[in-house]
Amino acid sequence: MDGTQSFPEIVKLLIENGLQSTLILFFLTLIFGLILGMIIAKGRMSKLLIIQMPIRFFLLIMRGTPLILQLYGFYFGLYYIAGLSLDRMTAAIIGFSLNYAAYFAEIYRSGIQAIPKGQYEAAKVLGFNRSQTFFKIILPQVVKIITPSLGSECMTLVKDTSLAHVIGVMEIYVVATNQMARSRGMIYLVVAGIFYLIMNAIVSKVFSVIEKRMNYYR
């Protein structure tokens, strides 16, 4: 590619070659991260040390080391340690999901622990079992409390998808930098930045709508 490509051509290039990988990585990380995060949060709050301590160690590792190193570990490390060869996208999804699950877990935990214990007692008096209490009374309030924090993490995730380039995932950032290197034109990175900005504007709007709809639980 030379440096004479027009803006619409660059947009088309990034959509056709990088946008799909970026969106797949974002949505699968979000799905797996949110589900795993709740499981990890429940384990982190367990009174059994045999459950709590390994999870605390996991959280320390995932939150205390750079995501880039974790991606290298899942893509290269698993091969050298266990002979397990993962394709680039699978390694990226696993690395991102576990990393973000750790952050989501702490967000969940802060929200759950913010609910007064009196609400659990009141639910018990009203005849709710533990499952009904959590899903019908506690969880809606937790969602209201943690929505701003989850929104911030999701916006960070949009930007962090660019880190997948270190193991060769062809997402928007790496496509843009490859074309920039060939044409010496900064416009590719500018357009990539616009893509990230638009995606984060959508994420921000979605969470603003969710937050407004959860105002019932004020």
Side-chain angles (χ1 to χ4, degrees):
M1 297 289 179
D2 56 36
T4 62
Q5 283 184 296
S6 66
F7 184 83
E9 289 174 332
I10 296 173
V11 170
K12 182 179 179 182
L13 174 72
L14 295 182
I15 290 175
E16 291 180 346
N17 295 279
L19 182 61
Q20 182 179 2
S21 294
T22 296
L23 293 177
I24 289 173
L25 184 56
F26 173 79
F27 283 111
L28 290 183
T29 297
L30 191 60
I31 292 169
F32 295 142
L34 288 172
I35 295 172
L36 287 173
M38 178 58 74
I39 296 171
I40 293 169
K42 297 294 285 185
R44 172 66 177 80
M45 293 184 292
S46 173
K47 295 180 181 179
L48 298 175
L49 290 180
I50 194 172
I51 296 176
Q52 183 188 132
M53 295 310 294
I55 289 179
R56 294 182 72 158
F57 181 72
F58 167 80
L59 292 173
L60 176 62
I61 295 296
M62 302 311 293
R63 298 172 70 218
T65 58
L67 177 56
I68 287 180
L69 293 183
Q70 294 168 23
L71 292 174
Y72 279 128
F74 285 110
Y75 186 60
F76 296 108
L78 287 179
Y79 176 77
Y80 288 110
I81 294 173
L84 183 60
S85 180
L86 300 175
D87 66 76
R88 290 177 171 83
M89 179 58 80
T90 300
I93 291 170
I94 292 173
F96 271 82
S97 297
L98 291 176
N99 180 274
Y100 271 83
Y103 287 95
F104 289 149
E106 291 296 82
I107 292 174
Y108 282 136
R109 185 170 69 91
S110 66
I112 293 171
Q113 293 181 336
I115 305 299
K117 291 183 179 180
Q119 295 202 25
Y120 292 90
E121 296 169 357
K124 187 175 181 180
V125 170
L126 291 173
F128 286 89
N129 59 37
R130 292 182 64 179
S131 177
Q132 291 173 324
T133 299
F134 182 75
F135 286 105
K136 293 185 177 181
I137 298 177
I138 304 303
L139 187 59
Q141 297 179 77
V142 169
V143 171
K144 166 63 179 175
I145 294 170
I146 68 175
T147 293
S149 297
L150 282 180
S152 295
E153 282 298 318
C154 288
M155 293 181 72
T156 300
L157 173 58
V158 169
K159 296 177 289 184
D160 277 355
T161 56
S162 63
L163 298 178
H165 80 275
V166 299
I167 56 173
V169 175
M170 293 297 292
E171 41 70 51
I172 287 178
Y173 172 78
V174 73
V175 173
T177 53
N178 285 346
Q179 296 304 319
M180 182 185 71
R182 295 175 186 175
S183 66
R184 299 183 181 180
M186 281 291 295
I187 185 64
Y188 292 97
L189 283 183
V190 172
V191 176
I194 293 173
F195 270 95
Y196 289 117
L197 185 62
I198 291 173
M199 286 187 285
N200 264 335
I202 294 171
V203 170
S204 178
K205 180 62 177 179
V206 168
F207 276 90
S208 293
V209 171
I210 293 173
E211 195 170 356
K212 288 179 180 178
R213 291 193 175 185
M214 298 302 291
N215 279 341
Y216 174 80
Y217 295 98
R218 285 185 298 181

